Amino acid sequence: MRSTKITMTSSIAMGALATMMISPAQAQDPIRIGFVMAKQGAQAEHGKHHYEGTMIALKEVNNTVRNQPVEVIWLDEPTPQDAQQNMQRLIDEQKVAAVVGGANSATALAISAVAKQNKIPFIATNAAATDITGAKCHRYTFRG
């Protein structure tokens, strides 16, 4: 239950943060939020619960943030390398405004590096490594 509340809060906060970074020309397009969490393997159930919590939170605000529709695009994170590649795909192909995810510390650190390089906000929802908000901390990564 605590995990779902954290994810819901993180998702709504991410949507609000993303709207502040959108230009007026993009105002009519949906706000795309990337979601990089496990879809397979040992953490798949965890990823599913985080995604469902995100969707419940969005439903409660009519799938909008600041009167703009919100779209969540979920890609898998089976390994840190795949997590990085999927984060980059979300940025390049889906033009996401921000990303939520990181089912473990290794994938969260990998995603965080891409967030920093591309200047895209990232909320690490489940990672515990102190490097995320310590030695490898930067202005684009937050712990949710």
Side-chain angles (χ1 to χ4, degrees), residues 1 18 24 34 42 45 51 75 77 88 94 104 108 112 115-116 118 121 127-128 130 133 135 141:
M1 182 66 161
E45 193 68 21
Y51 180 76
L75 296 182
E77 61 163 22
Q88 195 64 54
Q94 299 295 328
N104 63 58
S112 178
K116 181 180 180 182
N118 290 277
T130 56
T133 53
T141 294

Side-chain angles (χ1 to χ4, degrees), residues 65-131:
V65 173
R66 296 179 64 184
N67 296 318
Q68 288 186 251
V70 176
E71 180 182 340
V72 177
I73 300 116
W74 182 12
L75 296 182
D76 200 5
E77 61 163 22
T79 67
Q81 182 180 2
D82 290 321
Q84 276 189 319
Q85 290 170 349
N86 284 337
M87 170 73 163
Q88 195 64 54
R89 266 183 60 205
L90 287 167
I91 295 165
D92 295 342
E93 297 172 16
Q94 299 295 328
K95 309 295 185 215
V96 296
V99 174
V100 177
N104 63 58
S105 296
T107 57
L109 285 165
I111 294 167
S112 178
V114 177
K116 181 180 180 182
Q117 179 182 358
N118 290 277
K119 300 179 181 176
I120 297 287
F122 166 59
I123 294 180
T125 59
N126 202 50
T130 56
D131 278 354

Side-chain angles (χ1 to χ4, degrees), residues 9-86:
T9 303
S10 296
S11 299
I12 291 172
M14 186 61 77
L17 179 64
T19 60
M20 292 180 222
M21 302 172 71
I22 295 174
S23 69
Q26 296 170 306
Q28 301 306 316
D29 294 335
I31 299 166
R32 290 189 177 88
I33 305 296
F35 191 85
V36 182
M37 278 278 203
K39 285 185 166 187
Q40 59 184 321
Q43 294 181 331
E45 193 68 21
H46 182 75
K48 177 183 170 193
H49 290 304
H50 272 268
Y51 180 76
E52 288 172 351
T54 299
M55 300 315 291
I56 289 168
L58 285 172
K59 185 176 181 182
E60 288 183 8
V61 294
N62 297 319
N63 290 336
T64 61
V65 173
R66 296 179 64 184
N67 296 318
Q68 288 186 251
V70 176
E71 180 182 340
V72 177
I73 300 116
W74 182 12
L75 296 182
D76 200 5
E77 61 163 22
T79 67
Q81 182 180 2
D82 290 321
Q84 276 189 319
Q85 290 170 349
N86 284 337

